[in-house]
Amino acid sequence: MSMIAGHRHSSSHAARKKVQISFVIRDKVEVCHRSAVNALQYDPALHRLFSAGRDSIIRIWNCNARRDPFMQSMEHHTDWVNDVVLCCNGRNLISASSDTTVKVWNAHKGFCMSTLRTHKDYVKALAYARDREQVASAGLDKTIFLWDVQTLTALTASNNTVTTSSLNGNKDSIYSLAMNAAGSLIVSGSTEKLLRVWDPRTGNKTMKLKGHTDNVKTLLVNRDGTQVLSGSSDGTVRLWSIGQQRCIISRRMHCEAANENWSRIFCGGRDGSVWVNDLRFQESVRLVCKEDAPVLRLLLTPDTSELYVATTNSHINSYSLGRRLLDQCFDEPLRNHTGASNNLHSDSPGPVSPKDVSGAASASLDNGGHSAQMNDCVLGNGVGEASDEEELPLLSGCDWTIPGGPSIRHAVILNDKRHVLTKDTDNNVALYDILKAVKVEDLGRIDFDQEKERRNRPIFVPSWFTVDLKTGKRDEVDCLSAWVSIRDAALHSPHDPTSYDIKINYGELLLKSLFEHWPRTYYHEDDDEAGNGGEMTPHNGTSHHHSPPGNQYFSIPPHTPLIISEVQGRTLYRLLCGDAGGETEGVLLQETVPPWVLDIVLDKTTPKPKNKVYFYLLPHPSSGIKRDKKDRLSANDFIQVRKVQEHVAEKVLNYGTNSNSDNSSNNNASSNTPTPTPNASGEDKENSLLPEDRVQLLCNDKVLDGNMDLRTVQHFIWGNVSQDLVLHYRPLK
Amino acid sequence: MTALENSVKENTSSVGKGNITSMPGSHRGTGSGRLSLRGQKRTLSSDISPAPELRASHRIRTNSSGDGDSHKGVRGSSKGANAALSGSGGIIGIPYSHRAVQLGLRRNPSSTLSYTTNSIHLSSGGESVGSPGLAGGRVAGVCPLANLGNTCFLNSVLYALRFLPGFTHDLHHLHTHLQAARGEGDESVQHRVQFLSELHSVFAQLAKEESNVTEGKRLPALQPYPFLQALRVVNPMFEGNRQQDAHELLHCLLDQLCHLPQDLVKRDAVVKNLSNNASLLSPRPSSPPHKKARRRSERIQALEEDNSKAVDVVGSKFVGRMCLETCCSECEKVTGREETFLEVCVPVKTKADFDDDEPPSECEVFMSALCEEECLQGNNKYWCDACSHHNEARRSVHYPQLPHHLLIHVKRFSSYSRNMYTSKCSDAMPAPLHLACFCRTCLETQLHQQINSSYHSIVNSSTEMNANNSGTKSKVSSSIRSSAGNKQAKDATTHLPYELSAMVCHLGASLSSGHYMTYVRVSPELSSACVDQHGCVGGDYAPAAPTADAAPPANGSHAGISAASVPADSSECLWGDCCALKLDQILPQFSATSLTNGYASDVEAKSSQHKSTNKGAFTEGRNKQLGKSNSKAIASNAASASGFWLECDDEKIKMVTAAEVLDRMKGTLITPYLLFYSRISINSC
């Protein structure tokens, strides 16, 4: 399942930008989009559809195999993919993502060729000039970069520098971009509410076009670069003449528009309706279809026979538009279709409009309410009046649908800080095990909150990770703070009593297993002994430094994506866990893995327990014991009550005098708190009488269970974290 | 009320006297050095508010006070504590000596000499602010407020409120109401009642002084000491002699105005239940109060029935509602939260903040500051729940309802918390004298019209194509317009434009060293309330009612309370004789010269009503005299902008024209800090 990521980082490395490790829990193959689809591209030669999703994956669909269209998913982005452009006659795909990168893909084989990291913020839009094989990218960092596609595709690992020209001048975040095929004109739309026009050949600003009253979300330029069509969040679609530098047509609630060259425009909007508009005739607006979610992107195939609609839910719907159908819908049959098809198809379909169905007649203008908005292309249309006469869509249903999956909307970390309960858009509840990076169980449509209550055990474990439903920003947590008794973790083999009291660290275990395929973690090179060159030949490496990979308890699925990124910042590296054995991956890992991780996975350093519980140990009034001294003691927070009982029995009440007692009491509760030694309790078994049978501990007059650890006592029974815990003991007969 | 009050007064006065005795020597000592120090005065610190001239003011007070023993007590204490105040102020060496210097100057009884020294100050300090404007000189008819030592913050706010149309009138009724309810409640409520009552009495005394004006004599400055004292009781922040933030004071004041009546009402409800029993069980120490109390509680009961009408008049006129909305740029979902406000805080904006190629007008700059949009971007992106993603978002402010009195606080001071250092932004941001209503409905109507018109122009330009469609189009737009028109007619009173009526300006470089002065507009509206026979509905009072009415009870407390509220006991409105600002006395020439705007007659009518016989006679004579000298200049300027402006700088009050005010706002010397807008009254438009 995609969409869940655990993030961990150490707060101890403040010097450089902090680096965090995250991973995604998912199925081996994710065959459908889990979230909204932001962009579509169509390869007419192979009848393939490329869709870019907010689940960070670009998928390739075979449009000839409607039953099982999924071909491949292209995963490398780590955040929303906002736009894709197919270039070089379908050989390459360029994608823009909110992870601030632009990536170049081999579209036929579906692998990532290179990554461009010039943008400093989300990359929102791409534009493509077919004749010159030039691509422009723009985003929230207000800059536009121009790329030569041939150069981009020629990049290799060694030859990885690329020159680019940038177009500056935008004062606000850019949300839309368009270039004409000849590459003589580039237009950008931004929250500045105006269009800026450049000549990409010279980099000169040519003009500004003012008129919209809100963000410009979508743009189209006609072939010769004389007209621009823009769709804005203000609910209007405008047609601009570049020659006259002004708006020729503005359609508010009605569709409209046009001009000789572009005969038809499709537009869709936030209300989910898609409209078609014949630009030559005022009245020629028809509702094409109705989606149940805001339309994000429309794509018209070059032969104008099919219209693909992507919305904020994860489906992609395809509508077939017979020529006849369209002709009928307009008052006059159109004699010349060629113009229409040429224009719309070119880079992307068209557009869209808003409209608000809820529709008060004048509603489309308010920018205050939920008024109309144009997500994608062009055209507004007016349902305003449609309220009287409900217009029926030309197409009542879609032709076929590329199904999408539900996306997770809520996630709660359970008290054990290991399991996460999620609810998706279909209201299905599922349980995930973060430690093993797997989905444990699908619980179906049950009550989320009840289930949460039911599964929360009264145990306290410090936070060591955060869950992120594809967000981008994370809270900071010390991932190595979670020491858990292996018993609580239920990882021990039930038949091995010696493992009973071993303490494990969740963070350590997880890191080890995440990197278990990385050769460096099990073939140890020893830098101090320079003569030992065994690390390059894995098969010899067993000599004296070989340690078992991963951790001895479990391993996580190899298809789990592992992401190394700066905290609140850019992704440094992403790979699948199982690929860590590859040569280039190893090199890159070496560069990117932060030192605090290396400490664990390479040097096998066990993190030092840091969290202490301070407490007073006093005789319970009912015991009749008088003791003047009030001892303030400290212990690691994961120490179990049993250990304290031992301490009381042996040190305070002086019951036991055998040699073990020193050992165990040291472990427990003296002020110097050494790390626990696993064998202590094993030897305790030799005592005929267990300490918990001799001494009772109480907190707030509640008798404590020996298996409870101190932090749980502190949080659930004592209830006041800021105040020192007070424990009372009384001997049992 | 008397017993308690008296004891309190005695306490304060005795303390004050005690302090006095300890410090008298230093007074004279520093005072002797005044001449040598005088030159540096302006340069050292711009707040050179002269200290009160104790003896003189005392004389004036006793002379003029004939209005009741309660005031007398207060005054006695004020004198004592005042001296104590200057004594303790002596801790800070320099300010104290300044005050002493001032003292020396002021002690000179001859007004002409005072004048000259003053103008010397101004010119030597290089402050063009004070440079003679239209009339060049002082306005004799307005009683100034004396600086009690760094109290220009106080005076500036008092001036502004006094000249805010309708304010003193509303306060007067609140005051009468509070007096009726007086004596109930715990100490803190008592203090707060006292505080408002002192505020009222400041205005009452000013009016009284002004009514006693004699020809050719400048009115001595009033020392608002009791008010200052009451303020310090209510809010200890104002203790000490430091410079204070006028904005804080205004806030404190409005807070009292808005909440005290409500608190009283609430408490009354509780007290009423207990009062019968309580009064039986624990007889009050003295019988007269007991009787009074009963009478009072009867009155309160009567009042309670219409309490919600009357009590909140003053406060509710300042309360508006604003809505902070966040719009995710991806899904465009808008989340908003609405809250009430007493003032609008605006950042300082200049034309430099805008695109260079088409500089916006000053008014546009100001409006953009009022309705500022903030973009959440970069590292400060907005977490959109709908998208489950950090997206850019736009955060904007809307005003579903604007108050009758609109206070605008210009955020000139930004503090860097690290070193407690506040820096001041002195950029000029001229405030328009007239401001159209910018509530959400108005702006939307405006937008509709704009878009319609632009749409039509486009439609016309491509007529052939749109031939068919334009018919429906215009139908739509005309219907929009007509509906908007209806709305406008209905809300005519709610959406009246604003007029700048006062502004408090901060001079100087920082909050702790600087000076406040106030510009106030003098308009006939100031005294035009209560003209009608039937209660107080008149003048600018009327438009307020619909405002309050139109507010759906947002938080119940403010809205819907006052309506056409006539305070219960206001069948005879004594405001005019109590604390009203009487234009005819202040600016005789104002009514004498022919006012082109057409409200001259209004003023005349008014003044004839309010004039007592001897006053009237006097005024006429005075008019003739002053009219001769000033009428020309004034008349020529009167037409250019409605009303005159007064520049109130503690004791110095000067007349300026609106044009001059506008001019000065373009400079960076006077930096307007608090702007008081009031809706234009129905009468004058």
Side-chain angles (χ1 to χ4, degrees), chain B residues 382-405:
Chain B
Y382 168 71
W383 169 258
C384 175
D385 279 330
C387 301
S388 285
H389 200 254
H390 282 274
N391 292 330
E392 284 193 344
R394 210 178 49 232
R395 192 160 271 177
S396 52
V397 181
H398 302 275
Y399 303 93
Q401 188 207 334
L402 286 170
H404 181 70
H405 296 307

PDB file of all heavy atoms in Angstrom, chain B residues 382-405:
ATOM      1  N   TYR B 382       0.461  25.841   3.285  1.00  0.00           N
ATOM      2  CA  TYR B 382      -0.751  25.573   4.062  1.00  0.00           C
ATOM      3  C   TYR B 382      -1.083  24.094   3.957  1.00  0.00           C
ATOM      4  O   TYR B 382      -1.066  23.524   2.865  1.00  0.00           O
ATOM      5  CB  TYR B 382      -1.861  26.439   3.488  1.00  0.00           C
ATOM      6  CG  TYR B 382      -3.260  26.124   3.941  1.00  0.00           C
ATOM      7  CD1 TYR B 382      -3.675  26.407   5.233  1.00  0.00           C
ATOM      8  CD2 TYR B 382      -4.176  25.567   3.056  1.00  0.00           C
ATOM      9  CE1 TYR B 382      -4.964  26.137   5.634  1.00  0.00           C
ATOM     10  CE2 TYR B 382      -5.466  25.298   3.458  1.00  0.00           C
ATOM     11  CZ  TYR B 382      -5.854  25.582   4.739  1.00  0.00           C
ATOM     12  OH  TYR B 382      -7.135  25.314   5.139  1.00  0.00           O
ATOM     13  N   TRP B 383      -1.376  23.484   5.067  1.00  0.00           N
ATOM     14  CA  TRP B 383      -1.774  22.083   5.033  1.00  0.00           C
ATOM     15  C   TRP B 383      -3.250  22.032   4.704  1.00  0.00           C
ATOM     16  O   TRP B 383      -4.090  22.452   5.488  1.00  0.00           O
ATOM     17  CB  TRP B 383      -1.491  21.405   6.375  1.00  0.00           C
ATOM     18  CG  TRP B 383      -2.122  20.064   6.437  1.00  0.00           C
ATOM     19  CD1 TRP B 383      -3.264  19.739   7.095  1.00  0.00           C
ATOM     20  CD2 TRP B 383      -1.674  18.867   5.802  1.00  0.00           C
ATOM     21  NE1 TRP B 383      -3.552  18.414   6.911  1.00  0.00           N
ATOM     22  CE2 TRP B 383      -2.589  17.853   6.111  1.00  0.00           C
ATOM     23  CE3 TRP B 383      -0.583  18.552   4.988  1.00  0.00           C
ATOM     24  CZ2 TRP B 383      -2.461  16.548   5.639  1.00  0.00           C
ATOM     25  CZ3 TRP B 383      -0.456  17.256   4.530  1.00  0.00           C
ATOM     26  CH2 TRP B 383      -1.377  16.272   4.853  1.00  0.00           C
ATOM     27  N   CYS B 384      -3.551  21.541   3.532  1.00  0.00           N
ATOM     28  CA  CYS B 384      -4.946  21.466   3.110  1.00  0.00           C
ATOM     29  C   CYS B 384      -5.474  20.083   3.441  1.00  0.00           C
ATOM     30  O   CYS B 384      -4.964  19.080   2.959  1.00  0.00           O
ATOM     31  CB  CYS B 384      -5.061  21.733   1.615  1.00  0.00           C
ATOM     32  SG  CYS B 384      -6.738  21.522   0.997  1.00  0.00           S
ATOM     33  N   ASP B 385      -6.502  20.059   4.252  1.00  0.00           N
ATOM     34  CA  ASP B 385      -7.070  18.771   4.642  1.00  0.00           C
ATOM     35  C   ASP B 385      -7.718  18.072   3.464  1.00  0.00           C
ATOM     36  O   ASP B 385      -7.697  16.855   3.363  1.00  0.00           O
ATOM     37  CB  ASP B 385      -8.111  18.976   5.742  1.00  0.00           C
ATOM     38  CG  ASP B 385      -7.455  19.125   7.088  1.00  0.00           C
ATOM     39  OD1 ASP B 385      -6.381  18.533   7.267  1.00  0.00           O
ATOM     40  OD2 ASP B 385      -8.002  19.821   7.953  1.00  0.00           O
ATOM     41  N   ALA B 386      -8.298  18.859   2.603  1.00  0.00           N
ATOM     42  CA  ALA B 386      -8.992  18.245   1.481  1.00  0.00           C
ATOM     43  C   ALA B 386      -7.997  17.573   0.538  1.00  0.00           C
ATOM     44  O   ALA B 386      -8.248  16.502   0.011  1.00  0.00           O
ATOM     45  CB  ALA B 386      -9.800  19.293   0.733  1.00  0.00           C
ATOM     46  N   CYS B 387      -6.856  18.209   0.348  1.00  0.00           N
ATOM     47  CA  CYS B 387      -5.872  17.651  -0.577  1.00  0.00           C
ATOM     48  C   CYS B 387      -4.911  16.710   0.138  1.00  0.00           C
ATOM     49  O   CYS B 387      -4.159  16.000  -0.521  1.00  0.00           O
ATOM     50  CB  CYS B 387      -5.039  18.759  -1.227  1.00  0.00           C
ATOM     51  SG  CYS B 387      -5.980  19.956  -2.160  1.00  0.00           S
ATOM     52  N   SER B 388      -4.879  16.730   1.447  1.00  0.00           N
ATOM     53  CA  SER B 388      -3.860  15.994   2.199  1.00  0.00           C
ATOM     54  C   SER B 388      -2.471  16.372   1.724  1.00  0.00           C
ATOM     55  O   SER B 388      -1.632  15.514   1.459  1.00  0.00           O
ATOM     56  CB  SER B 388      -4.041  14.483   2.064  1.00  0.00           C
ATOM     57  OG  SER B 388      -5.110  14.068   2.844  1.00  0.00           O
ATOM     58  N   HIS B 389      -2.228  17.606   1.581  1.00  0.00           N
ATOM     59  CA  HIS B 389      -0.956  18.035   1.022  1.00  0.00           C
ATOM     60  C   HIS B 389      -0.660  19.448   1.487  1.00  0.00           C
ATOM     61  O   HIS B 389      -1.581  20.194   1.811  1.00  0.00           O
ATOM     62  CB  HIS B 389      -1.050  18.005  -0.503  1.00  0.00           C
ATOM     63  CG  HIS B 389       0.274  17.958  -1.202  1.00  0.00           C
ATOM     64  ND1 HIS B 389       0.808  19.035  -1.846  1.00  0.00           N
ATOM     65  CD2 HIS B 389       1.166  16.958  -1.358  1.00  0.00           C
ATOM     66  CE1 HIS B 389       1.975  18.695  -2.365  1.00  0.00           C
ATOM     67  NE2 HIS B 389       2.221  17.434  -2.093  1.00  0.00           N
ATOM     68  N   HIS B 390       0.600  19.774   1.498  1.00  0.00           N
ATOM     69  CA  HIS B 390       0.962  21.163   1.759  1.00  0.00           C
ATOM     70  C   HIS B 390       0.887  21.922   0.455  1.00  0.00           C
ATOM     71  O   HIS B 390       1.632  21.635  -0.482  1.00  0.00           O
ATOM     72  CB  HIS B 390       2.377  21.248   2.331  1.00  0.00           C
ATOM     73  CG  HIS B 390       2.429  20.898   3.776  1.00  0.00           C
ATOM     74  ND1 HIS B 390       2.201  21.819   4.766  1.00  0.00           N
ATOM     75  CD2 HIS B 390       2.655  19.733   4.402  1.00  0.00           C
ATOM     76  CE1 HIS B 390       2.304  21.246   5.943  1.00  0.00           C
ATOM     77  NE2 HIS B 390       2.572  19.963   5.755  1.00  0.00           N
ATOM     78  N   ASN B 391      -0.008  22.868   0.392  1.00  0.00           N
ATOM     79  CA  ASN B 391      -0.169  23.638  -0.827  1.00  0.00           C
ATOM     80  C   ASN B 391      -0.024  25.112  -0.525  1.00  0.00           C
ATOM     81  O   ASN B 391      -0.131  25.528   0.619  1.00  0.00           O
ATOM     82  CB  ASN B 391      -1.556  23.396  -1.418  1.00  0.00           C
ATOM     83  CG  ASN B 391      -1.714  21.990  -1.924  1.00  0.00           C
ATOM     84  OD1 ASN B 391      -0.750  21.367  -2.357  1.00  0.00           O
ATOM     85  ND2 ASN B 391      -2.929  21.482  -1.851  1.00  0.00           N
ATOM     86  N   GLU B 392       0.159  25.845  -1.593  1.00  0.00           N
ATOM     87  CA  GLU B 392       0.099  27.292  -1.420  1.00  0.00           C
ATOM     88  C   GLU B 392      -1.336  27.675  -1.115  1.00  0.00           C
ATOM     89  O   GLU B 392      -2.283  26.998  -1.529  1.00  0.00           O
ATOM     90  CB  GLU B 392       0.545  27.996  -2.694  1.00  0.00           C
ATOM     91  CG  GLU B 392       2.032  27.967  -2.902  1.00  0.00           C
ATOM     92  CD  GLU B 392       2.462  28.930  -3.986  1.00  0.00           C
ATOM     93  OE1 GLU B 392       1.605  29.370  -4.762  1.00  0.00           O
ATOM     94  OE2 GLU B 392       3.658  29.237  -4.042  1.00  0.00           O
ATOM     95  N   ALA B 393      -1.492  28.730  -0.400  1.00  0.00           N
ATOM     96  CA  ALA B 393      -2.849  29.177  -0.109  1.00  0.00           C
ATOM     97  C   ALA B 393      -2.846  30.685  -0.003  1.00  0.00           C
ATOM     98  O   ALA B 393      -1.809  31.315   0.201  1.00  0.00           O
ATOM     99  CB  ALA B 393      -3.358  28.557   1.183  1.00  0.00           C
ATOM    100  N   ARG B 394      -4.022  31.223  -0.172  1.00  0.00           N
ATOM    101  CA  ARG B 394      -4.170  32.670  -0.084  1.00  0.00           C
ATOM    102  C   ARG B 394      -4.992  32.974   1.139  1.00  0.00           C
ATOM    103  O   ARG B 394      -6.054  32.385   1.344  1.00  0.00           O
ATOM    104  CB  ARG B 394      -4.887  33.160  -1.337  1.00  0.00           C
ATOM    105  CG  ARG B 394      -4.532  34.541  -1.757  1.00  0.00           C
ATOM    106  CD  ARG B 394      -5.251  34.901  -3.030  1.00  0.00           C
ATOM    107  NE  ARG B 394      -6.649  34.581  -2.925  1.00  0.00           N
ATOM    108  CZ  ARG B 394      -7.302  33.855  -3.808  1.00  0.00           C
ATOM    109  NH1 ARG B 394      -6.694  33.377  -4.857  1.00  0.00           N
ATOM    110  NH2 ARG B 394      -8.597  33.604  -3.656  1.00  0.00           N
ATOM    111  N   ARG B 395      -4.496  33.844   1.943  1.00  0.00           N
ATOM    112  CA  ARG B 395      -5.228  34.195   3.151  1.00  0.00           C
ATOM    113  C   ARG B 395      -5.699  35.630   3.000  1.00  0.00           C
ATOM    114  O   ARG B 395      -4.910  36.526   2.742  1.00  0.00           O
ATOM    115  CB  ARG B 395      -4.298  34.051   4.356  1.00  0.00           C
ATOM    116  CG  ARG B 395      -4.997  34.099   5.666  1.00  0.00           C
ATOM    117  CD  ARG B 395      -4.148  33.473   6.742  1.00  0.00           C
ATOM    118  NE  ARG B 395      -4.397  32.037   6.834  1.00  0.00           N
ATOM    119  CZ  ARG B 395      -3.748  31.242   7.659  1.00  0.00           C
ATOM    120  NH1 ARG B 395      -2.807  31.717   8.421  1.00  0.00           N
ATOM    121  NH2 ARG B 395      -4.031  29.957   7.708  1.00  0.00           N
ATOM    122  N   SER B 396      -6.968  35.829   3.147  1.00  0.00           N
ATOM    123  CA  SER B 396      -7.480  37.174   2.890  1.00  0.00           C
ATOM    124  C   SER B 396      -8.465  37.577   3.982  1.00  0.00           C
ATOM    125  O   SER B 396      -9.030  36.739   4.668  1.00  0.00           O
ATOM    126  CB  SER B 396      -8.170  37.230   1.524  1.00  0.00           C
ATOM    127  OG  SER B 396      -9.124  36.200   1.435  1.00  0.00           O
ATOM    128  N   VAL B 397      -8.639  38.850   4.091  1.00  0.00           N
ATOM    129  CA  VAL B 397      -9.535  39.391   5.109  1.00  0.00           C
ATOM    130  C   VAL B 397     -10.768  39.970   4.436  1.00  0.00           C
ATOM    131  O   VAL B 397     -10.665  40.674   3.438  1.00  0.00           O
ATOM    132  CB  VAL B 397      -8.829  40.510   5.905  1.00  0.00           C
ATOM    133  CG1 VAL B 397      -9.744  41.061   6.961  1.00  0.00           C
ATOM    134  CG2 VAL B 397      -7.566  39.998   6.521  1.00  0.00           C
ATOM    135  N   HIS B 398     -11.911  39.627   4.962  1.00  0.00           N
ATOM    136  CA  HIS B 398     -13.146  40.222   4.473  1.00  0.00           C
ATOM    137  C   HIS B 398     -13.896  40.826   5.655  1.00  0.00           C
ATOM    138  O   HIS B 398     -13.699  40.410   6.788  1.00  0.00           O
ATOM    139  CB  HIS B 398     -14.024  39.173   3.813  1.00  0.00           C
ATOM    140  CG  HIS B 398     -13.349  38.481   2.685  1.00  0.00           C
ATOM    141  ND1 HIS B 398     -13.337  38.987   1.420  1.00  0.00           N
ATOM    142  CD2 HIS B 398     -12.640  37.343   2.652  1.00  0.00           C
ATOM    143  CE1 HIS B 398     -12.649  38.167   0.650  1.00  0.00           C
ATOM    144  NE2 HIS B 398     -12.211  37.157   1.374  1.00  0.00           N
ATOM    145  N   TYR B 399     -14.746  41.748   5.333  1.00  0.00           N
ATOM    146  CA  TYR B 399     -15.512  42.393   6.389  1.00  0.00           C
ATOM    147  C   TYR B 399     -17.001  42.215   6.121  1.00  0.00           C
ATOM    148  O   TYR B 399     -17.591  42.982   5.363  1.00  0.00           O
ATOM    149  CB  TYR B 399     -15.158  43.878   6.467  1.00  0.00           C
ATOM    150  CG  TYR B 399     -13.688  44.111   6.693  1.00  0.00           C
ATOM    151  CD1 TYR B 399     -12.822  44.301   5.633  1.00  0.00           C
ATOM    152  CD2 TYR B 399     -13.172  44.106   7.979  1.00  0.00           C
ATOM    153  CE1 TYR B 399     -11.463  44.481   5.850  1.00  0.00           C
ATOM    154  CE2 TYR B 399     -11.824  44.299   8.193  1.00  0.00           C
ATOM    155  CZ  TYR B 399     -10.974  44.488   7.131  1.00  0.00           C
ATOM    156  OH  TYR B 399      -9.636  44.675   7.341  1.00  0.00           O
ATOM    157  N   PRO B 400     -17.583  41.229   6.727  1.00  0.00           N
ATOM    158  CA  PRO B 400     -19.022  41.056   6.531  1.00  0.00           C
ATOM    159  C   PRO B 400     -19.808  42.245   7.064  1.00  0.00           C
ATOM    160  O   PRO B 400     -20.834  42.594   6.528  1.00  0.00           O
ATOM    161  CB  PRO B 400     -19.339  39.799   7.345  1.00  0.00           C
ATOM    162  CG  PRO B 400     -18.043  39.099   7.502  1.00  0.00           C
ATOM    163  CD  PRO B 400     -17.004  40.162   7.529  1.00  0.00           C
ATOM    164  N   GLN B 401     -19.304  42.839   8.110  1.00  0.00           N
ATOM    165  CA  GLN B 401     -20.020  43.999   8.635  1.00  0.00           C
ATOM    166  C   GLN B 401     -19.021  44.998   9.183  1.00  0.00           C
ATOM    167  O   GLN B 401     -18.122  44.647   9.957  1.00  0.00           O
ATOM    168  CB  GLN B 401     -20.964  43.561   9.748  1.00  0.00           C
ATOM    169  CG  GLN B 401     -21.873  44.683  10.187  1.00  0.00           C
ATOM    170  CD  GLN B 401     -22.297  44.518  11.616  1.00  0.00           C
ATOM    171  OE1 GLN B 401     -22.335  43.410  12.125  1.00  0.00           O
ATOM    172  NE2 GLN B 401     -22.580  45.618  12.263  1.00  0.00           N
ATOM    173  N   LEU B 402     -19.202  46.221   8.787  1.00  0.00           N
ATOM    174  CA  LEU B 402     -18.302  47.259   9.275  1.00  0.00           C
ATOM    175  C   LEU B 402     -19.032  48.119  10.307  1.00  0.00           C
ATOM    176  O   LEU B 402     -20.236  48.321  10.204  1.00  0.00           O
ATOM    177  CB  LEU B 402     -17.833  48.129   8.109  1.00  0.00           C
ATOM    178  CG  LEU B 402     -16.813  47.446   7.197  1.00  0.00           C
ATOM    179  CD1 LEU B 402     -16.594  48.255   5.948  1.00  0.00           C
ATOM    180  CD2 LEU B 402     -15.500  47.259   7.936  1.00  0.00           C
ATOM    181  N   PRO B 403     -18.301  48.601  11.274  1.00  0.00           N
ATOM    182  CA  PRO B 403     -18.953  49.365  12.347  1.00  0.00           C
ATOM    183  C   PRO B 403     -19.250  50.796  11.926  1.00  0.00           C
ATOM    184  O   PRO B 403     -18.828  51.253  10.870  1.00  0.00           O
ATOM    185  CB  PRO B 403     -17.907  49.334  13.451  1.00  0.00           C
ATOM    186  CG  PRO B 403     -16.615  49.264  12.727  1.00  0.00           C
ATOM    187  CD  PRO B 403     -16.872  48.477  11.476  1.00  0.00           C
ATOM    188  N   HIS B 404     -19.965  51.460  12.767  1.00  0.00           N
ATOM    189  CA  HIS B 404     -20.264  52.858  12.504  1.00  0.00           C
ATOM    190  C   HIS B 404     -18.998  53.702  12.633  1.00  0.00           C
ATOM    191  O   HIS B 404     -18.703  54.527  11.785  1.00  0.00           O
ATOM    192  CB  HIS B 404     -21.312  53.356  13.490  1.00  0.00           C
ATOM    193  CG  HIS B 404     -21.686  54.786  13.275  1.00  0.00           C
ATOM    194  ND1 HIS B 404     -22.404  55.182  12.171  1.00  0.00           N
ATOM    195  CD2 HIS B 404     -21.429  55.902  13.994  1.00  0.00           C
ATOM    196  CE1 HIS B 404     -22.578  56.490  12.229  1.00  0.00           C
ATOM    197  NE2 HIS B 404     -22.003  56.952  13.319  1.00  0.00           N
ATOM    198  N   HIS B 405     -18.283  53.471  13.697  1.00  0.00           N
ATOM    199  CA  HIS B 405     -16.991  54.133  13.848  1.00  0.00           C
ATOM    200  C   HIS B 405     -15.920  53.116  13.496  1.00  0.00           C
ATOM    201  O   HIS B 405     -15.803  52.093  14.159  1.00  0.00           O
ATOM    202  CB  HIS B 405     -16.768  54.582  15.291  1.00  0.00           C
ATOM    203  CG  HIS B 405     -17.739  55.614  15.757  1.00  0.00           C
ATOM    204  ND1 HIS B 405     -17.960  56.780  15.079  1.00  0.00           N
ATOM    205  CD2 HIS B 405     -18.545  55.655  16.835  1.00  0.00           C
ATOM    206  CE1 HIS B 405     -18.869  57.504  15.720  1.00  0.00           C
ATOM    207  NE2 HIS B 405     -19.242  56.834  16.784  1.00  0.00           N
TER     208      HIS B 405
END
